[in-house]
Amino acid sequence: MYRSHSCGELRESNINEVVTLSGWVHKTRDKGFVAWVDLRDRYGITQLVFDEKRTSTELLEKARNLGREFVVQVKGKVIERASKNNNIATGDIEVLVQELNILNTSKTPPFTIEDQTDGGEDLRMKYRYLDIRRNPVKENLIFRSQVTMEVRNYLSKEGFIEVETPYLIKSTPEGARDFVVPSRMNEGQFYALPQSPQTFKQLLMVGGMDKYFQIVKCFRDEDLRADRQPEFTQIDCEMAFVEQEDILKAFEGLTRHLLKEIKGVETTEFPRMTYDEAMAKYGNDKPDIRFGMEFGELNSVAQHKDFNVFNSAELVVGIAVPGGASYTRKEIDKLVDWVRRPQVGAKGMVYVKCNEDGSFKSSVDKFYDQDDLGNWAKATEANPGDLICVLSGNINETRAQLSALRMELAERLGLRNNAEFAPLWVIDFPLLELDEETGRYHAMHHPFTSPKPGQLELLDSEPSNVKANAYDLVLNGNEIGGGSIRIHDKDIQSTMFKHLGFTPEEAKAQFGFLMDAFQYGAPPHGGIAFGLDRLVSILGGQETIRDFIAFPKNNSGRDVMIDAPAPIDREQLKELNLKLDL
């Protein structure tokens, strides 16, 4: 028996018991006549004591030679600790060691295994197996497991059946780039790793599995950014014989359950906002509604004077920053510099200080009088003491720039409280979006999303105005889930493929299996997929999903621990009939 108890288990009630513990040497302290060793495992730390009066000289000497991260087994008697440590659960006791067995030695780790480590991110990712021993990473992985189990338990109780779908599937041209896998037995042909189990879960609805879910790995060969992984995990769900309202209620229930069970937060309100409203009020389709600073459009009250910057703009829009009138000119100049950064892209910023006495002071006093600026304050709902920040230009670009500024200011003002949770449904997305470069329409969600009822006939005449029967669940400014009611009629699906630029032959080659299935009694159906990595990080009060993934990739999509991706052997290439210059 390697251990009778864990290193986080022993208490005063165990005093005088003889126990066996196993774990890693966390720290050692040697006072000459006595030595202490902190022994660590997943569950906590227990202090071991060796002294020359109660321990053999040989055992004390052996303890003195223990190095950090040695793996050891000890047997000893639980005794009361003379100097108690209230910072750890086992701080009232220690184990007087009678036997010490070194199970494995360890090299000195490249960084300290402490909550606050001296290891940089790249170093810790290279030695991730050591990083996992640190409490913050360990606790994040345990937290992820708890969330996952709550999801499984809830959905199972609601009658959902967990079904595994294939990882080796067919490549499709829609969406992001696929990761492809060459087939040795089928020369010149390739599998693709799934970007989502979309078509398979629809086929399960045709098969009569009317409530499906799966916690599943998905893969997208996308250009990487700071917090995007090439492989990620979805909570994938689908239901048959449902309308949008059924889906929203079902997954409000799941979200409410997770917030209550994981965070102890009761949530009753799940507001709904159309895509158009979200873009007009917040400049993006995943707004953080924990705080205000809603956009105020100023075209009607700012484009009547001789200020050509505004007169020539498609959109003039502003936000009111609470308490911002106290900002110095230097602080405001820094905000102007911030919006001019290439990552934001604004050409400049106009500001108005709303003084406590009801007067206004702006950077454009030459062009606008006090009445004009008062109208700006009304449009942005600015109060005395606030600062109005105004941007102008192309509609889409200006909204995105002001949205970025809004989030930055909220961060600086401490308005994004990680202990507060504000869910929101965004609905009525555009069905299609036009690619300016190719002139072709693309599905904003995916090609299987149904138009809103009554809008199918607009596909031929006004494709840009057709709304999708789609919905996103947003939590604290992050999209945590998205889905839609699907097309279940073969003819409607054919019409959709036509508007997406597929020839009948291309549609049949890519999705013929789904079209064929629709001919055998496909029920009305819809679903949603949650990003598990993102959901867990938000519930955990953090922004970085890598912190909740056991073995993440870096910003370049590399696993620096195992050094992947990597070249493969020429013989393997030959077997796969791949001819590459290496």
Side-chain angles (χ1 to χ4, degrees):
M1 181 174 66
Y2 279 110
R3 56 186 178 183
S4 61
H5 297 77
S6 75
C7 292
E9 187 177 350
L10 299 174
R11 302 291 188 271
E12 280 186 303
S13 58
N14 298 107
I15 287 174
N16 292 324
E17 291 182 20
V18 175
V19 299
T20 303
L21 303 179
S22 291
W24 287 266
V25 172
H26 187 63
K27 285 180 180 175
T28 61
R29 298 178 299 284
D30 185 2
K31 293 290 186 181
F33 61 91
V34 62
W36 293 275
V37 174
D38 287 347
L39 189 66
R40 184 193 69 242
D41 65 8
R42 172 189 139 189
Y43 306 94
I45 289 176
T46 296
Q47 180 170 280
L48 312 178
V49 60
F50 305 76
D51 68 47
E52 59 186 18
K53 290 183 179 178
R54 296 173 292 179
T55 303
S56 70
T57 305
E58 181 184 355
L59 197 56
L60 179 58
E61 191 60 33
K62 195 173 181 181
R64 286 173 175 153
N65 290 320
L66 292 176
R68 283 168 47 202
E69 301 307 311
F70 275 35
V71 186
V72 303
Q73 178 195 44
V74 298
K75 184 177 181 181
K77 186 178 180 180
V78 181
I79 61 174
E80 186 173 3
R81 189 163 165 171
S83 179
K84 298 188 177 182
N85 182 354
N86 295 324
N87 295 321
I88 59 174
T90 60
D92 290 335
I93 60 91
E94 59 189 1
V95 174
L96 178 62
V97 177
Q98 299 163 348
E99 297 177 18
L100 169 61
N101 181 23
I102 297 175
L103 302 176
N104 216 333
T105 60
S106 172
K107 292 173 64 176
T108 301
F111 53 87
T112 55
I113 313 298
E114 299 281 0
D115 290 4
Q116 300 297 322
T117 183
D118 55 359
E121 186 174 9
D122 289 343
L123 184 64
R124 288 185 288 110
M125 287 186 72
K126 183 175 181 179
Y127 297 94
R128 184 64 167 179
Y129 44 86
L130 296 178
D131 202 28
I132 291 171
R133 295 180 190 173
R134 296 193 310 114
N135 283 328
V137 181
K138 175 194 73 177
E139 288 164 4
N140 284 348
L141 295 182
I142 293 171
F143 182 77
R144 181 186 177 110
S145 175
Q146 291 170 341
V147 174
T148 303
M149 291 304 296
E150 286 296 338
V151 169
R152 278 202 164 92
N153 291 339
Y154 180 86
L155 292 176
S156 296
K157 287 176 183 175
E158 291 295 311
F160 285 79
I161 305 300
E162 186 167 14
V163 182
E164 295 180 27
T165 53
Y167 279 122
L168 294 175
I169 65 168
K170 186 176 185 177
S171 182
T172 60
E174 281 294 313
R177 293 183 185 89
D178 291 323
F179 282 101
V180 294
V181 181
S183 171
R184 179 181 60 82
M185 293 181 290
N186 299 276
E187 183 175 347
Q189 296 185 318
F190 297 81
Y191 298 105
L193 299 179
Q195 297 184 29
S196 86
Q198 181 61 45
T199 54
F200 288 99
K201 65 179 179 180
Q202 291 189 251
L203 292 172
L204 285 169
M205 297 303 103
V206 178
M209 303 294 287
D210 66 336
K211 284 186 171 183
Y212 142 93
F213 87 99
Q214 182 181 190
I215 297 177
V216 60
K217 278 284 188 185
C218 301
F219 308 85
R220 292 179 187 171
D221 192 7
E222 297 180 294
D223 293 334
L224 294 164
R225 57 187 186 216
D227 212 24
R228 175 186 284 168
Q229 293 280 303
E231 55 179 314
F232 56 96
T233 305
Q234 284 186 177
I235 307 166
D236 199 58
C237 309
E238 198 81 2
M239 303 169 73
F241 302 109
V242 290
E243 297 177 335
Q244 177 178 291
E245 191 64 27
D246 300 308
I247 301 284
L248 268 54
K249 284 183 177 178
F251 293 98
E252 278 181 18
L254 172 61
T255 308
R256 191 177 288 113
H257 174 81
L258 292 175
L259 287 170
K260 181 179 179 181
E261 295 300 318
I262 299 295
K263 302 301 296 182
V265 173
E266 295 277 0
T267 309
T268 55
E269 293 296 317
F270 280 72
R272 299 181 187 182
M273 185 182 298
T274 66
Y275 170 86
D276 290 340
E277 186 183 358
M279 295 304 292
K281 282 187 174 182
Y282 300 99
N284 69 63
D285 57 5
K286 46 182 184 297
D288 191 336
I289 59 171
R290 286 175 293 178
F291 57 95
M293 287 197 279
E294 292 184 9
F295 289 11
E297 290 200 10
L298 303 175
N299 290 45
S300 62
V301 293
Q303 291 185 321
H304 63 293
K305 294 294 179 74
D306 294 330
F307 189 51
N308 194 51
V309 173
F310 285 175
N311 292 342
S312 61
E314 273 191 284
L315 177 67
V316 184
V317 63
I319 55 173
V321 184
S326 64
Y327 288 4
T328 64
R329 178 58 187 270
K330 187 175 181 180
E331 288 173 317
I332 293 173
D333 286 345
K334 285 184 178 179
L335 280 182
V336 176
D337 291 340
W338 192 90
V339 299
R340 282 176 170 163
R341 297 180 317 144
Q343 299 95 316
V344 180
K347 292 179 180 176
M349 184 185 85
V350 168
Y351 70 86
V352 181
K353 286 189 173 186
C354 304
N355 298 319
E356 295 288 355
D357 63 5
S359 65
F360 303 96
K361 176 64 182 172
S362 83
S363 55
V364 287
D365 283 341
K366 178 180 177 181
F367 300 97
Y368 297 94
D369 59 29
Q370 291 289 297
D371 288 340
D372 293 324
L373 300 178
N375 289 329
W376 293 18
K378 288 178 185 176
T380 57
E381 299 185 357
N383 296 311
D386 292 350
L387 176 75
I388 303 172
C389 298
V390 183
L391 301 181
S392 63
N394 169 280
I395 290 177
N396 293 335
E397 290 177 358
T398 303
R399 283 176 172 171
Q401 291 158 1
L402 192 60
S403 175
L405 177 61
R406 175 180 179 266
M407 295 297 281
E408 174 66 17
L409 286 166
E411 198 70 45
R412 294 184 186 188
L413 294 168
L415 300 176
R416 302 189 69 200
N417 180 3
N418 288 337
E420 183 183 353
F421 296 92
L424 165 75
W425 287 108
V426 178
I427 58 175
D428 296 354
F429 285 82
L431 182 68
L432 305 173
E433 54 185 346
L434 184 65
D435 186 319
E436 301 288 350
E437 290 184 10
T438 65
R440 285 183 55 180
Y441 281 102
H442 293 278
M444 192 159 186
H445 278 70
H446 53 62
F448 315 108
T449 295
S450 172
K452 293 284 283 188
Q455 297 210 342
L456 181 64
E457 57 272 17
L458 294 177
L459 271 175
D460 287 319
S461 57
E462 302 175 63
S464 296
N465 293 330
V466 179
K467 299 298 184 184
N469 205 346
Y471 33 82
D472 279 0
L473 182 56
V474 176
L475 185 62
N476 295 359
N478 294 275
E479 177 200 332
I480 61 167
S484 66
I485 299 300
R486 323 301 187 189
I487 297 169
H488 67 280
D489 179 273
K490 179 178 182 291
D491 293 336
I492 295 176
Q493 188 65 73
S494 296
T495 301
M496 176 61 77
F497 285 143
K498 181 187 76 172
H499 283 280
L500 293 171
F502 287 84
T503 65
E505 294 75 22
E506 287 171 336
K508 183 171 178 57
Q510 293 293 335
F511 302 109
F513 65 93
L514 185 64
M515 306 285 277
D516 289 345
F518 283 176
Q519 297 178 95
Y520 292 93
H525 59 282
I528 192 169
F530 288 78
L532 179 64
D533 309 306
R534 173 67 57 206
L535 174 62
V536 171
S537 69
I538 294 169
L539 292 176
Q542 298 182 38
E543 293 287 326
T544 307
I545 65 172
R546 278 200 304 265
D547 293 341
F548 293 87
I549 298 172
F551 298 103
K553 308 289 189 291
N554 69 9
N555 290 351
S556 302
R558 293 197 64 81
D559 186 324
V560 295
M561 182 182 67
I562 64 172
D563 194 24
I568 64 172
D569 187 85
R570 287 182 180 275
E571 285 303 311
Q572 286 180 278
L573 289 173
K574 188 176 178 182
E575 284 182 345
L576 294 167
N577 300 295
L578 295 176
K579 299 174 179 63
L580 299 177
D581 256 340
L582 293 182

